[in-house]
Amino acid sequence: MKKLLSFSLAFLFLLSLPQYAYALPQPEKTTVKGISSSITASHNKKLSRVITVKPATGGRTVRLQLYLSGKDKYKTIKTYHTEDAPSAKIRIVFPKKWRKKRTGKWRILVLKSDTAKPTIRNITVTTKNIVVKKVTAKAVCVYCVEDKKVVYGVKINQRRKQASTTKVMTSILLLENAKLKDTTKISKNAADTLYSHPVMKAGDVYSNKDLLYTMLLPSSNGSAVAVAEEIGGSVSGFADMMNAKAKKLGLKNTRFVNPHGLDEKSNYSTAFDLCRQMAYIYPKSKSFRKAISTSSYTFTTKKYKLKYTVKTTDELKDYSSKHKGGKTGTTTIAGCCFTSVYVDGGKTYTVAVLGSADNESRFSDTKKLYSYIDKYANTSY
């Protein structure tokens, strides 16, 4: 009886002690530093980060894992082991062979140890310029309208002559400052402008819709001048409006001195700025979408009753239903240029090539960029 009483008293004494006197040690929280949650890197460059794991007492096991959407699980790509220290640094390498798609969901998993909790760091890796077969263009850009970002580019901000892709901006101002059913009288200046098809006659009257289509399909320079004089009062006045609009759209490397794109010293743009112009007007204007998707257009002038049928210079009309149309441009200095719209996977992409080797090359260059969009731009693991 005395022994039982002694044991009971001893037990009650232990219960009366503070909790910390008999509680087991709690595992420490694990932290990972030295890496962000979003990384963008070129496919042809090594991608690695030095991370710090704390605590690393006893050595920690670290796994680099990639999410496979088809299997709905993470795959361990590589396993690392830290040194035994209060905190330890290790270099994590993201292998090229696992970065062949546009985006990937990765994570760093630090396993639990005897003294520390496990932890996970989620990382999105975006791969730039994955694989595009050699293009002849001096500058190219692929821009996603919905995401508002470049998904592929080469020298996207290099200032270059843009030739008749200038008429995209001319069309923007026409659509925003005039009604297509209204008419414009053709001046001698417009009628005498080089490379105007159809051949214009001074004093004739065109509907603004006729001017839009003749600018965008056969690339009539005279129609561009007629628009400029009607809306801006003069070519120079219209150029001021074009530059004001470019500034409003944030086009930092674009300057216009005429409405058609014939070579002049201070007339320039970039592949990126061209994509931005198309990204602005294409979703906004049904009339623009319809015009660039049209293969041929027949109209009759209002005064002289001249009937014309004009055809597009866009040679990708039958390439794919995803191709929604585009605008060509060619001058001696600019080379062959093209800006277009492509829809894939529920997203809209604007594409620009500047300075392609020749007419055929500008379209083959564009098709290579379209192939890039199909394979990479809207995919993930």
Side-chain angles (χ1 to χ4, degrees), residues 103 145 304 353:
T103 59
V145 176
Y304 296 144
V353 298

Side-chain angles (χ1 to χ4, degrees), residues 136-138 162-163 165 328-338 353-363 365:
T136 69
K138 304 297 183 182
Q162 71 270 51
T165 60
T328 59
T330 309
T331 67
T332 302
I333 298 176
C336 292
C337 308
F338 189 53
V353 298
L354 291 176
S356 291
D358 49 43
N359 180 60
E360 182 180 351
S361 295
R362 75 171 131 212
F363 298 118
D365 287 347

Side-chain angles (χ1 to χ4, degrees), residues 90-102:
I90 56 171
R91 181 176 292 276
I92 300 291
V93 178
F94 297 80
K96 290 182 182 178
K97 66 174 289 186
W98 293 103
R99 293 194 290 120
K100 290 184 178 180
K101 291 191 177 182
R102 174 67 186 160

Side-chain angles (χ1 to χ4, degrees), residues 269-285:
S269 190
T270 67
F272 176 58
D273 283 1
L274 268 177
C275 281
R276 291 278 305 282
Q277 290 172 62
M278 289 292 275
Y280 169 76
I281 192 61
Y282 183 80
K284 182 179 181 180
S285 173

Side-chain angles (χ1 to χ4, degrees), residues 6-180:
S6 297
F7 177 78
S8 298
L9 291 172
F11 180 71
L12 290 172
F13 173 75
L14 288 174
L15 289 178
S16 68
L17 291 175
Q19 186 177 357
Y20 62 80
Y22 60 91
L24 294 174
Q26 294 298 306
E28 293 183 60
K29 179 181 178 181
T30 299
T31 61
V32 175
K33 295 184 178 180
I35 192 165
S36 65
S37 60
S38 179
I39 300 173
T40 299
S42 295
H43 174 259
N44 60 357
K45 292 184 179 180
K46 182 178 179 180
L47 175 57
S48 67
R49 292 291 187 273
V50 175
I51 66 170
T52 300
V53 178
K54 183 180 180 180
T57 306
R60 304 296 298 275
T61 298
V62 180
R63 291 177 181 170
L64 176 65
Q65 299 182 324
L66 173 64
Y67 180 71
L68 304 178
S69 57
K71 297 183 178 181
D72 192 25
K73 69 177 185 179
Y74 278 90
K75 175 184 177 66
T76 297
I77 304 302
K78 195 164 184 179
T79 300
Y80 301 86
H81 299 282
T82 73
E83 63 178 341
D84 180 2
S87 67
K89 295 181 182 294
I90 56 171
R91 181 176 292 276
I92 300 291
V93 178
F94 297 80
K96 290 182 182 178
K97 66 174 289 186
W98 293 103
R99 293 194 290 120
K100 290 184 178 180
K101 291 191 177 182
R102 174 67 186 160
T103 59
K105 290 169 60 178
W106 297 73
R107 72 181 186 183
I108 293 173
L109 170 63
V110 183
L111 301 185
K112 69 178 181 179
S113 69
D114 293 339
T115 59
K117 298 178 180 179
T119 193
I120 291 174
R121 281 294 301 273
N122 293 311
I123 306 155
T124 299
V125 176
T126 301
T127 304
K128 297 190 303 181
N129 297 1
I130 301 173
V131 178
V132 171
K133 293 180 180 179
K134 186 177 181 180
V135 296
T136 69
K138 304 297 183 182
V140 304
C141 183
V142 178
Y143 181 83
C144 180
V145 176
E146 289 79 10
D147 295 342
K148 296 182 179 180
K149 67 180 181 180
V150 174
V151 298
Y152 183 85
V154 175
K155 298 181 179 178
I156 65 171
N157 291 313
Q158 183 184 74
R159 292 179 178 180
R160 301 189 59 82
K161 300 298 182 187
Q162 71 270 51
S164 284
T165 60
T166 295
K167 296 184 178 82
V168 173
M169 179 60 81
T170 304
S171 298
I172 290 173
L173 293 183
L174 171 61
L175 291 165
E176 292 185 342
N177 291 276
K179 295 180 179 179
L180 294 185

Side-chain angles (χ1 to χ4, degrees), residues 144-323:
C144 180
V145 176
E146 289 79 10
D147 295 342
K148 296 182 179 180
K149 67 180 181 180
V150 174
V151 298
Y152 183 85
V154 175
K155 298 181 179 178
I156 65 171
N157 291 313
Q158 183 184 74
R159 292 179 178 180
R160 301 189 59 82
K161 300 298 182 187
Q162 71 270 51
S164 284
T165 60
T166 295
K167 296 184 178 82
V168 173
M169 179 60 81
T170 304
S171 298
I172 290 173
L173 293 183
L174 171 61
L175 291 165
E176 292 185 342
N177 291 276
K179 295 180 179 179
L180 294 185
K181 65 181 181 180
D182 289 345
T183 58
T184 294
K185 186 176 181 180
I186 306 304
S187 69
K188 186 177 185 304
N189 185 38
D192 291 344
T193 304
L194 293 173
Y195 310 115
S196 294
H197 179 71
V199 177
M200 290 180 152
K201 289 190 175 182
D204 206 347
V205 176
Y206 282 51
S207 73
N208 288 333
K209 180 180 179 181
D210 298 340
L211 294 177
L212 177 70
Y213 277 71
T214 52
M215 278 198 302
L216 292 176
L217 273 63
S219 201
S220 170
N221 292 334
S223 294
V225 171
V227 169
E229 292 176 337
E230 177 69 16
I231 296 175
S234 65
V235 167
S236 61
F238 188 75
D240 289 340
M241 292 178 65
M242 296 171 81
N243 290 320
K245 187 67 177 182
K247 184 177 180 180
K248 187 175 181 179
L249 294 179
L251 310 181
K252 298 180 180 180
N253 292 295
T254 294
R255 187 172 185 275
F256 299 104
V257 295
N258 62 52
H260 41 62
L262 290 176
D263 289 330
E264 291 193 45
K265 185 177 180 179
S266 299
N267 201 55
Y268 56 80
S269 190
T270 67
F272 176 58
D273 283 1
L274 268 177
C275 281
R276 291 278 305 282
Q277 290 172 62
M278 289 292 275
Y280 169 76
I281 192 61
Y282 183 80
K284 182 179 181 180
S285 173
K286 182 179 179 180
S287 295
F288 183 84
R289 293 194 297 273
K290 187 173 181 181
I292 65 169
S293 67
T294 300
S295 296
S296 65
Y297 176 72
T298 300
F299 69 101
T300 302
T301 63
K302 303 302 180 184
K303 183 174 182 180
Y304 296 144
K305 305 301 179 183
L306 301 175
K307 187 175 181 179
Y308 294 106
T309 296
V310 294
K311 296 183 178 181
T312 184
T313 55
D314 174 7
E315 296 181 15
L316 294 183
K317 288 297 183 186
D318 299 322
Y319 171 69
S320 169
S321 60
K322 296 180 182 181
H323 170 72

